[in-house]
């Protein structure tokens, strides 16, 4: 009978190694995603230009290797997992070129140093325009971009290649999580758009465009915002995909209890953001209910109490002789 071996634990020998291991360990607030750029044994000049521009947009959270590697991601991803753990990179971009899949970028997303999901994006060389071909200013290194997705395919209720592309591209370019953003730091926007699918056999292309944001004075209190394309301009065709394992995806999406907000009983928030509270009250005693005081319901001064008043009312309705005699006496 085989017995499971315990996992090997590395004991730090000095403070530097201890800080390194603590930084790689699971954390309540994870570190920003680092992207690793790798090349296959055969690449094209188009892919070299695309990798250089994507690396420039992703800096400083990017590592680029120029050495060629004989790796087949969809057949054996073990080498990618090794590079991911060594470089602490959770997103990888692998460039390869072949006759069957020309100018191919394989995006790989990792979890716990294992491949979570993959997506192939084939670059269209006819429409490619690099950063250097746009003769204007560029955004500063390290700034968070605005990211927008245009097209109904990105918001499809069923998971497909375009919803996977949206998730992976957003993880790649969003940068570190912050609570506040300085308006002066919003210098550029990355837009991904896809057209409507007209033919099931031909999938629409994903268009990547990057624009500089220019603010100018306007007549009102808000400035006038203009956009200027800064590059790169890349069009992708969707290729093969590898969906995430259900159990691994569930584990990757799990949130620690320390980050979850404690739910308060009977307090909800609607879609607008207003807080709604629910109050439970006991059974009300309607006999003690204070009604509106009307002049016609007031008791007259000649009636001593409520019982006499109710008795006189009954006599008036029934037409008794006592009531008539009382009137004669008056």
């Amino acid at each position: 009978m085989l017995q499971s071996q315990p996992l090997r634990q590395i004991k730090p020998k000095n403070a530097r190694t201890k800080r390194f291991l603590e930084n790689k360990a699971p954390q309540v607030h994870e570190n920003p995603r680092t992207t690793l750029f790798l090349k296959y044994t055969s690449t094209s000049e188009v892919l070299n230009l695309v990798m250089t521009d994507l690396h420039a947009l992703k800096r400083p959270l990017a590592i680029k290797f120029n050495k060629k590697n004989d790796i087949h991601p969809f057949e054996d991803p073990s080498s990618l997992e090794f590079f991911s753990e060594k470089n602490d990179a959770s997103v990888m971009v692998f460039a390869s070129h072949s006759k069957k899949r020309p100018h191919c970028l394989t995006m790989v997303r990792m979890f716990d140093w294992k491949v979570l999901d993959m997506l192939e994006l084939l670059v269209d060389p006819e429409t490619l325009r690099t950063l250097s071909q746009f003769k204007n200013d560029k955004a500063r290194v390290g700034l968070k971009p605005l990211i927008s997705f245009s097209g109904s395919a990105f918001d499809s209720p069923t998971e497909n290649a375009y919803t996977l592309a949206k998730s992976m591209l957003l993880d790649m370019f969003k940068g570190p999580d912050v609570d506040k953003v300085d308006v002066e730091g919003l210098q550029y926007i990355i837009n991904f758009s896809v057209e409507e699918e007209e033919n099931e056999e031909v999938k629409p292309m994903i268009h990547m465009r990057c624009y500089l944001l220019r603010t100018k004075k306007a007549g009102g209190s808000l400035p006038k915002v203009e956009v200027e394309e800064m590059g790169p301009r890349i069009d992708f065709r969707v290729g093969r995909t590898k969906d995430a394992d259900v159990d691994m995806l569930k584990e990757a999406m799990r949130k620690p209890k320390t980050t979850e907000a404690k739910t308060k009983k009977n307090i909800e928030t609607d879609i607008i953001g207003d807080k709604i509270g629910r109050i439970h009250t006991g059974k009300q005693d309607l006999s003690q209910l204070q009604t509106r005081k009307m002049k016609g319901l007031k008791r007259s001064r000649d009636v001593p109490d409520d019982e006499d008043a109710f008795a006189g009312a009954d006599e008036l309705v029934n037409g008794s002789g006592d009531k008539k005699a009382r009137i004669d006496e008056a």
Side-chain angles (χ1 to χ4, degrees), residues 165-232:
K166 178 181 178 180
S167 177
M168 298 185 74
L169 291 170
L170 188 60
D171 280 347
M172 178 177 174
F173 288 106
K174 71 175 184 178
D177 296 330
V178 294
D179 297 332
K180 299 179 181 179
V181 178
D182 189 1
V183 180
E184 296 294 332
L186 300 177
Q187 296 186 4
Y188 71 108
I189 179 174
I190 303 177
N191 175 258
F192 298 96
S193 60
V194 61
E195 299 176 355
E196 297 295 332
E197 185 176 358
E198 299 179 356
N199 190 357
E200 295 182 357
E201 297 180 357
V202 180
K203 295 182 179 180
M205 301 183 68
I206 298 176
H207 307 283
M208 177 181 175
R209 303 292 185 267
C210 301
Y211 301 94
L212 286 172
L213 298 178
R214 305 288 191 183
T215 56
K216 298 182 179 181
K217 292 184 178 180
S221 58
L222 297 177
K224 180 182 179 182
V225 180
E226 296 181 354
V227 294
E228 179 184 357
E229 190 171 1
M230 74 168 189

Side-chain angles (χ1 to χ4, degrees), residues 79 92 97 101 172 192 223 226 237 243 245 311:
S79 298
M92 305 182 73
H97 178 68
R101 294 181 180 86
M172 178 177 174
F192 298 96
E226 296 181 354
R237 288 186 293 108
D243 297 330
D245 183 69

Side-chain angles (χ1 to χ4, degrees), residues 8-21:
R8 184 172 65 93
Q9 296 182 356
I10 302 176
K11 295 183 179 181
K13 297 181 180 180
N14 49 44
R16 181 181 178 183
T17 307
K18 182 179 180 181
R19 289 194 301 267
F20 177 77
L21 293 176

Side-chain angles (χ1 to χ4, degrees), residues 103-114:
H103 316 296
C104 178
L105 288 180
T106 304
M107 298 190 64
V108 186
R109 188 161 48 180
M110 299 287 183
F111 173 71
D112 196 18
W113 322 125
K114 302 295 181 182

Side-chain angles (χ1 to χ4, degrees), residues 278-290:
R278 183 179 300 169
I279 302 175
H280 296 274
T281 58
K283 186 177 180 180
Q284 296 183 355
D285 186 7
L286 300 180
S287 62
Q288 303 296 329
L289 182 65
Q290 178 65 44

